[in-house]
Amino acid sequence: MSLISPQFPPGFVHYPQFFNQEEQRQLISQVKQAVATAPFYKPTMPGTGHPLSVVMSNFGPLGWVTDKENGYRYEKIHPRTGLPWPALPHLLEELWLKVSGYKYPPEATLINWYRPEMKSKMGMHVDNDENNFDAPVVSVSLGDPAVFRMGGLKRGGSTLPLKLYSGDVIVMGGESRLYHHGISKVFYGESDLVPKGGRINLTMRRVNSVIV
Ligand code: MD3
Ligand code: FE
């Protein structure tokens, strides 16, 4: 079941409460396990070195990373430990099979932690560091609710809000894949799912258009 305003672009699908409480707890415990070996790191902007307010880690064969020197890119290893990223949990593999409609598995699953003490948010941007825009991006929200904003193909212009709750899944396929989007507000302190509080977002992506 998906309930979204007809103003959202074709290919954008919202599944409210895709994951139940038990599954959400399972996903959080898998994130906890992953960050025990692939700790959250502080991403910085290319050139300026300005920190993003979220901290990040990844699951799967590739991870999205960014730093002052080398900018936005995908890497097979953690920037600090030099170790491969932890494997994608089965629950997420299954999610991709159910909702992506794509022939190949995801390569990168970015873990974003919006921390209460940092009042983390995410500015409007486009996900375009991949070499494959045929595959959708699939995202899972966990913990505190947030206001997601969807813009358009060009930057600036009006945005449409959508409140995302813990357990919600969104799929950004078709035209929506290259739309601007961001997180304008997190309602910190509303959920007790995340051990140290805040919101965790898991974003699954296909990076290459072939199996490498
Ligand atoms: C719409 N994350 O990691 S997820 C990101 O909640 C990111 O942490 C936000 O944007 C978060 O890049 C939003 C939903 C999302 C992800 C990719 C999209 C929405 C998207 C790509 C195209 C359009
Ligand atoms: Fe994004």
Side-chain angles (χ1 to χ4, degrees), residues 1-128:
M1 170 80 156
S2 77
L3 285 168
I4 54 156
S5 149
Q7 301 165 86
F8 278 92
F12 181 92
V13 188
H14 179 210
Y15 298 91
Q17 301 299 287
F18 186 96
F19 291 113
N20 64 33
Q21 285 274 1
E22 175 54 32
E23 294 166 324
Q24 292 172 40
R25 276 192 288 267
Q26 201 176 319
L27 287 168
I28 286 298
S29 110
Q30 283 156 340
V31 167
K32 234 180 128 178
Q33 258 191 63
V35 301
T37 55
F40 282 117
Y41 75 94
K42 283 196 176 75
T44 54
M45 305 270 284
T48 64
H50 198 93
L52 306 194
S53 67
V54 295
V55 288
M56 297 178 165
S57 187
N58 290 271
F59 290 116
L62 293 176
W64 188 85
V65 298
T66 176
D67 56 34
K68 180 178 167 136
E69 292 75 24
N70 299 301
Y72 308 143
R73 64 204 189 272
Y74 283 93
E75 294 280 5
K76 293 177 182 170
I77 58 171
H78 189 283
R80 294 215 321 269
T81 68
L83 295 170
W85 303 101
L88 185 67
H90 291 300
L91 211 48
L92 294 176
E93 237 174 83
E94 247 176 51
L95 168 65
W96 180 267
L97 288 175
K98 285 179 185 160
V99 304
S100 76
Y102 197 69
K103 58 189 172 185
Y104 301 141
E107 292 168 291
T109 297
L110 178 62
I111 308 170
N112 289 324
W113 181 23
Y114 294 75
R115 293 175 296 170
E117 60 273 18
M118 295 303 293
K119 297 187 165 60
S120 307
K121 293 194 244 181
M122 190 176 287
M124 298 295 287
H125 67 276
V126 177
D127 292 15
N128 57 9

Side-chain angles (χ1 to χ4, degrees), residues 179-193:
Y179 274 39
H180 287 75
H181 59 275
I183 294 290
S184 57
K185 180 182 174 68
V186 178
F187 298 88
Y188 286 107
E190 290 202 4
S191 160
D192 58 11
L193 186 77

Side-chain angles (χ1 to χ4, degrees), residues 12 56 110 112 114 122 125 127 137 139 141 148 150 164 170 172 176-183 199 201 203 205:
F12 181 92
M56 297 178 165
L110 178 62
N112 289 324
Y114 294 75
M122 190 176 287
H125 67 276
D127 292 15
V137 175
S139 124
S141 294
F148 169 76
M150 185 68 134
L164 295 176
I170 53 179
M172 283 69 58
S176 71
R177 178 65 182 76
L178 288 168
Y179 274 39
H180 287 75
H181 59 275
I183 294 290
R199 171 174 187 266
N201 181 257
T203 305
R205 307 191 181 111

